[in-house]
Amino acid sequence: MNFPDLHPWDLTYSAAIALQKDLATRVELRNRLRRPLSHVAGVDVSYRKHGDQFFAAVVVLSFPQLEPVEVADFSARVSFPYIPGLLSFRELPVLLQAFRRLRTVPDLVLVDGQGIAHPRRFGLASHLGLWLDLPTIGCAKSRLTGTAQMPGEDKGATSPLSDKGERIGTLLRSRARVKPLYISPGHRLDIPTAARLTLDCTGRYRMPEPTRLAHLETNRLRREAEAGQV
């Protein structure tokens, strides 16, 4: 994939916060999907706790079949510190290099992280969506901000996620009687569509198939690298 640089990465903490606030104003929360959807991608980043070697993977699947089409990965050392709310400045530079190796341009990208369900309404999925100029969804396993009632126990049950009176996402029961996911649009999608498409991409597991496979790929890369260091 080819895409222009959105901004430099050599930023201080205060500059990163200011940039998030500015870029959040450019996030689109209306549906701008290509029709029909033919390819969806999942992304994930893995690293050893307290380590600085990051492993990123992009897995592209056919839609609606959810059959693997292409995998791209990249590994690099990361110096930006772990700061809650600034995860994208730590993971995105490595992830974008994986996307540059990708031949297939996906119609939609699912991210193991937050979209607008973020204190500044600009999580990893939103940041990635602006860089790639593509629709993205944040599919997080835990809450970063906002409150919600637990949805019903059946697969597909939902409840609204809100913060300071603003709807920012959806709690989605992706598998019956397991913990729900925190779903929020990243870019170029509205809140109901983000939840519906996430469910469309979910099979027998809690995580949507695109991000589940990307997670398996990054863990494989990390384990192989660690084995080679022994």
Side-chain angles (χ1 to χ4, degrees):
M1 283 182 63
N2 295 314
F3 44 86
D5 288 348
L6 185 64
H7 60 77
W9 291 107
D10 186 16
L11 299 170
T12 63
Y13 169 78
S14 58
I17 295 289
L19 180 62
Q20 273 190 333
K21 292 178 179 179
D22 178 59
L23 293 178
T25 66
R26 296 166 57 179
V27 169
E28 298 180 35
L29 296 179
R30 60 190 179 94
N31 295 332
R32 292 187 59 190
L33 287 162
R34 281 183 282 190
R35 298 292 186 181
L37 265 150
S38 61
H39 293 94
V40 297
V43 304
D44 189 49
V45 177
S46 178
Y47 50 94
R48 178 183 284 180
K49 189 175 182 179
H50 306 306
D52 63 355
Q53 186 74 25
F54 280 42
F55 303 87
V58 184
V59 177
V60 180
L61 307 180
S62 62
F63 185 86
Q65 300 87 357
L66 300 181
E67 295 291 337
V69 173
E70 186 183 356
V71 177
D73 56 66
F74 192 82
S75 174
R77 296 197 178 277
V78 172
S79 58
F80 196 90
Y82 173 76
I83 302 172
L86 292 178
L87 184 65
S88 62
F89 291 89
R90 189 165 161 85
E91 297 189 359
L92 204 51
V94 183
L95 188 54
L96 289 169
Q97 292 305 316
F99 270 98
R100 293 190 192 278
R101 292 180 168 182
L102 204 64
R103 296 185 303 273
T104 308
V105 179
D107 304 308
L108 171 68
V109 182
L110 280 71
V111 179
D112 188 355
Q114 308 289 349
I116 64 167
H118 181 279
R120 289 173 291 280
R121 307 297 184 258
F122 198 71
L124 178 60
S126 297
H127 207 160
L128 179 63
L130 284 183
W131 265 89
L132 301 179
D133 198 25
L134 288 175
T136 55
I137 302 174
C139 306
K141 296 185 287 292
S142 59
R143 179 184 66 89
L144 182 60
T145 192
T147 58
Q149 299 293 323
M150 280 292 112
E153 292 290 332
D154 293 337
K155 179 175 180 176
T158 63
S159 61
L161 176 67
S162 301
D163 186 34
K164 300 175 183 176
E166 178 187 1
R167 176 81 182 271
I168 58 173
T170 303
L171 261 69
L172 171 67
R173 192 80 68 177
S174 57
R175 186 180 179 187
R177 295 176 296 281
V178 301
K179 291 181 180 179
L181 297 174
Y182 292 78
I183 307 300
S184 60
H187 184 46
R188 293 191 166 186
L189 287 174
D190 62 28
I191 291 173
T193 303
R196 176 179 60 80
L197 288 173
T198 300
L199 195 60
D200 288 344
C201 291
T202 303
R204 298 185 295 114
Y205 300 92
R206 181 191 180 205
M207 292 301 295
E209 198 65 3
T211 54
R212 187 184 78 85
L213 293 179
H215 178 71
L216 293 176
E217 177 67 12
T218 57
N219 280 347
R220 181 189 67 80
L221 294 169
R222 178 177 51 80
R223 287 194 301 268
E224 288 182 354
E226 290 171 351
Q229 295 170 1
V230 176

